[in-house]
Coordinates of all heavy atoms in Angstrom, one line a residue:
E22 N 102.3 147.0 46.2 CA 102.1 147.3 47.6 C 102.7 148.6 48.1 O 102.2 149.1 49.1 CB 102.8 146.1 48.4 CG 102.1 144.8 48.2 CD 102.8 143.7 48.9 OE1 103.9 143.9 49.6 OE2 102.4 142.5 48.8
N23 N 103.7 149.2 47.4 CA 104.2 150.5 47.8 C 104.4 150.5 49.3 O 103.9 151.4 50.0 CB 103.3 151.6 47.3 CG 103.6 152.0 45.9 OD1 104.6 151.7 45.3 ND2 102.6 152.7 45.3
E24 N 105.1 149.6 49.8 CA 105.1 149.3 51.3 C 106.0 150.1 52.1 O 107.2 150.4 51.8 CB 105.4 147.8 51.5 CG 105.1 147.3 52.9 CD 105.3 145.8 53.0 OE1 105.2 145.1 52.0 OE2 105.5 145.4 54.1
F25 N 105.5 150.5 53.3 CA 106.3 151.0 54.4 C 106.1 150.0 55.5 O 104.9 149.6 55.8 CB 105.8 152.4 54.8 CG 106.6 153.0 56.0 CD1 107.7 153.7 55.8 CD2 106.2 152.7 57.3 CE1 108.5 154.2 56.8 CE2 107.0 153.2 58.4 CZ 108.1 154.0 58.1
R26 N 107.1 149.6 56.2 CA 106.9 148.6 57.2 C 107.7 149.0 58.5 O 108.7 149.6 58.5 CB 107.3 147.2 56.8 CG 108.7 147.0 56.3 CD 109.0 145.6 55.9 NE 108.0 144.8 55.2 CZ 108.1 143.6 54.6 NH1 109.3 143.1 54.6 NH2 107.1 143.0 54.1
A27 N 107.1 148.5 59.6 CA 107.8 148.5 60.9 C 108.2 147.1 61.3 O 107.4 146.1 61.0 CB 106.9 149.1 62.0
L28 N 109.4 146.9 61.8 CA 109.9 145.6 62.1 C 110.4 145.5 63.5 O 111.2 146.4 64.0 CB 111.1 145.4 61.1 CG 111.9 144.1 61.2 CD1 111.0 143.0 60.6 CD2 113.2 144.2 60.3
L29 N 110.0 144.5 64.2 CA 110.4 144.2 65.6 C 111.5 143.1 65.6 O 111.3 142.1 64.8 CB 109.3 143.8 66.5 CG 108.2 144.8 66.9 CD1 107.2 144.2 67.8 CD2 108.9 146.0 67.6
Y30 N 112.5 143.2 66.5 CA 113.5 142.2 66.6 C 113.4 141.7 68.1 O 113.6 142.4 69.0 CB 114.9 142.8 66.3 CG 116.0 141.8 66.6 CD1 116.1 140.6 66.0 CD2 117.0 142.1 67.5 CE1 117.1 139.7 66.2 CE2 118.0 141.3 67.8 CZ 118.1 140.0 67.1 OH 119.1 139.2 67.4
E31 N 113.2 140.4 68.2 CA 113.0 139.8 69.6 C 114.4 139.4 70.2 O 114.5 139.5 71.4 CB 112.1 138.6 69.5 CG 111.8 138.0 70.9 CD 110.8 136.9 70.8 OE1 109.9 137.0 70.0 OE2 111.0 135.9 71.6
G32 N 115.4 139.1 69.4 CA 116.7 138.7 69.9 C 116.6 137.3 70.5 O 115.6 136.6 70.5
P33 N 117.7 136.8 71.1 CA 119.0 137.4 71.2 C 119.8 137.3 69.9 O 119.4 136.6 69.0 CB 119.7 136.6 72.3 CG 119.1 135.2 72.1 CD 117.7 135.4 71.7
N34 N 121.0 138.0 69.9 CA 121.8 138.0 68.7 C 122.3 136.5 68.4 O 122.7 135.8 69.3 CB 123.0 138.9 68.8 CG 122.6 140.3 68.8 OD1 121.6 140.7 68.2 ND2 123.3 141.2 69.6
Q35 N 122.3 136.2 67.1 CA 122.7 134.9 66.7 C 124.2 135.0 66.1 O 124.7 136.1 65.9 CB 121.8 134.3 65.7 CG 120.3 134.2 66.1 CD 120.1 133.2 67.2 OE1 121.0 132.4 67.5 NE2 119.0 133.2 67.9
V36 N 124.7 133.8 65.8 CA 126.1 133.8 65.3 C 126.1 133.1 64.0 O 125.2 132.3 63.7 CB 127.1 133.1 66.3 CG1 127.2 133.9 67.5 CG2 126.7 131.7 66.5
I37 N 127.1 133.3 63.2 CA 127.3 132.6 61.9 C 128.3 131.5 62.1 O 129.4 131.7 62.5 CB 127.8 133.6 60.8 CG1 126.8 134.7 60.6 CG2 128.1 132.8 59.5 CD1 127.4 135.8 59.7
D38 N 127.8 130.3 61.9 CA 128.6 129.1 62.2 C 129.3 128.7 60.9 O 128.7 128.3 59.9 CB 127.7 127.9 62.6 CG 128.5 126.7 63.0 OD1 129.6 126.5 62.6 OD2 127.9 125.9 63.8
L39 N 130.7 128.9 60.9 CA 131.4 128.6 59.7 C 131.6 127.1 59.3 O 132.1 126.8 58.3 CB 132.8 129.2 59.8 CG 132.9 130.8 59.9 CD1 134.3 131.3 60.0 CD2 132.2 131.4 58.7
R40 N 131.1 126.3 60.2 CA 131.0 124.9 59.9 C 129.8 124.5 59.1 O 129.6 123.4 58.7 CB 131.1 124.0 61.2 CG 132.5 124.1 61.8 CD 132.5 123.2 63.1 NE 133.9 123.1 63.6 CZ 134.5 124.0 64.4 NH1 133.8 125.1 64.7 NH2 135.7 123.8 64.8
G41 N 128.9 125.5 59.0 CA 127.7 125.3 58.2 C 126.6 124.4 58.9 O 125.8 123.8 58.2
R42 N 126.7 124.3 60.2 CA 125.7 123.5 60.9 C 124.4 124.2 61.1 O 124.4 125.4 61.2 CB 126.3 123.2 62.3 CG 127.5 122.3 62.3 CD 128.1 122.1 63.7 NE 128.6 123.4 64.3 CZ 129.3 123.5 65.4 NH1 129.7 122.3 66.0 NH2 129.7 124.6 65.8
E43 N 123.3 123.4 61.0 CA 122.0 124.0 61.2 C 121.8 124.4 62.7 O 122.4 123.9 63.6 CB 120.9 123.0 60.8 CG 120.9 122.8 59.3 CD 119.7 121.9 58.9 OE1 118.8 121.7 59.7 OE2 119.7 121.5 57.7
W44 N 120.9 125.4 62.9 CA 120.7 126.0 64.2 C 119.7 125.1 64.9 O 118.8 124.5 64.4 CB 120.1 127.4 64.1 CG 121.1 128.4 63.6 CD1 122.2 128.2 62.9 CD2 121.0 129.8 63.8 NE1 122.8 129.4 62.6 CE2 122.1 130.4 63.1 CE3 120.1 130.6 64.4 CZ2 122.3 131.7 63.1 CZ3 120.2 132.0 64.4 CH2 121.3 132.5 63.8
D45 N 119.8 125.1 66.3 CA 118.7 124.7 67.1 C 118.0 125.9 67.5 O 118.4 126.7 68.4 CB 119.3 124.0 68.4 CG 120.0 122.7 68.1 OD1 119.5 122.0 67.2 OD2 121.0 122.3 68.7
T46 N 116.8 126.1 66.8 CA 116.1 127.4 67.0 C 115.2 127.3 68.3 O 114.4 126.4 68.4 CB 115.2 127.6 65.8 OG1 116.0 127.6 64.6 CG2 114.5 129.0 65.9
P47 N 115.4 128.3 69.2 CA 114.6 128.3 70.4 C 113.1 128.6 70.0 O 112.8 129.1 68.9 CB 115.2 129.4 71.2 CG 115.9 130.2 70.3 CD 116.4 129.4 69.1
D48 N 112.2 128.5 71.0 CA 110.9 128.9 70.8 C 110.7 130.4 71.0 O 110.8 130.9 72.1 CB 109.9 128.1 71.8 CG 109.9 126.6 71.5 OD1 110.0 126.3 70.3 OD2 109.7 125.9 72.4

């Protein structure tokens, strides 16, 4: 593929949960 890519980030910033709980991912 020899790829070059553009990447968009929608946000908001997430956090790392040290209790290892799964996220409730918004739409």
Side-chain angles (χ1 to χ4, degrees):
E22 294 178 358
N23 278 340
E24 190 176 336
F25 179 92
R26 58 177 39 170
L28 180 70
L29 288 183
Y30 174 60
E31 184 173 324
N34 292 329
Q35 305 292 347
V36 296
I37 298 171
D38 188 336
L39 294 180
R40 290 181 171 82
R42 295 174 296 192
E43 293 188 7
W44 291 21
D45 292 326
T46 305
D48 292 330

